[in-house]
Amino acid sequence: MVSKIVDLLYFYKIGVGMPRDIATKMRLVIEACCTFTDFGSSDSDHSLSSVVANFCDTGEQDPACALLDELDEIHGYSADQCREDDPAGDDADALNVVELIGFVRRTLVIVHAMPNLP
């Protein structure tokens, strides 16, 4: 997971990396964080969609409930960008890089890889 976080940091800071690959790594980092911290989960399925669904089911009883909106938005964005059936493949033009950088930043804040500065 550390290497994926480093890749996200490089992309965020200097733009190194293929956008579609970065979107996939962003999703994997969030899923790993949820696995290691047990965010929103009481079972063995720690996929991002499962975590978001568990948050919706448990509501405010979950200690990480404050992350629901962030996780839900990252889940929606990354699911759209990581679709296997996308004919654009790894074409950088298929992704809005500025938007991706914003989601990468949000991901890095959630996993405490960078401060949450305005």
Side-chain angles (χ1 to χ4, degrees):
M1 179 168 91
V2 173
S3 67
K4 289 176 181 58
I5 292 172
V6 169
D7 290 345
L8 294 179
L9 285 165
Y10 275 123
F11 182 79
Y12 178 75
K13 293 290 188 179
I14 57 177
V16 173
M18 296 296 297
R20 191 161 311 281
D21 185 43
I22 294 299
T24 299
K25 288 179 181 181
M26 178 181 72
R27 185 178 185 86
L28 294 172
V29 165
I30 289 288
E31 287 176 351
C33 176
C34 292
T35 298
F36 293 137
T37 59
D38 205 30
F39 283 165
S41 181
S42 59
D43 59 21
S44 62
D45 182 9
H46 292 282
S47 67
L48 191 49
S49 60
S50 171
V51 170
V52 170
N54 284 333
F55 270 134
C56 291
D57 291 343
T58 60
E60 292 185 17
Q61 292 85 15
D62 196 293
C65 183
L67 293 176
L68 176 59
D69 290 338
E70 274 298 280
L71 290 173
D72 193 32
E73 288 181 25
I74 291 169
H75 170 255
Y77 176 80
S78 63
D80 288 345
Q81 303 308 322
C82 298
R83 287 191 348 218
E84 301 269 335
D85 62 344
D86 188 354
D90 285 328
D91 184 9
D93 294 334
L95 294 176
N96 179 329
V97 175
V98 173
E99 184 178 35
L100 177 59
I101 289 170
F103 276 98
V104 167
R105 182 188 183 293
R106 291 163 71 178
T107 299
L108 292 168
V109 168
I110 287 174
V111 300
H112 304 290
M114 68 183 303
N116 187 14
L117 300 174

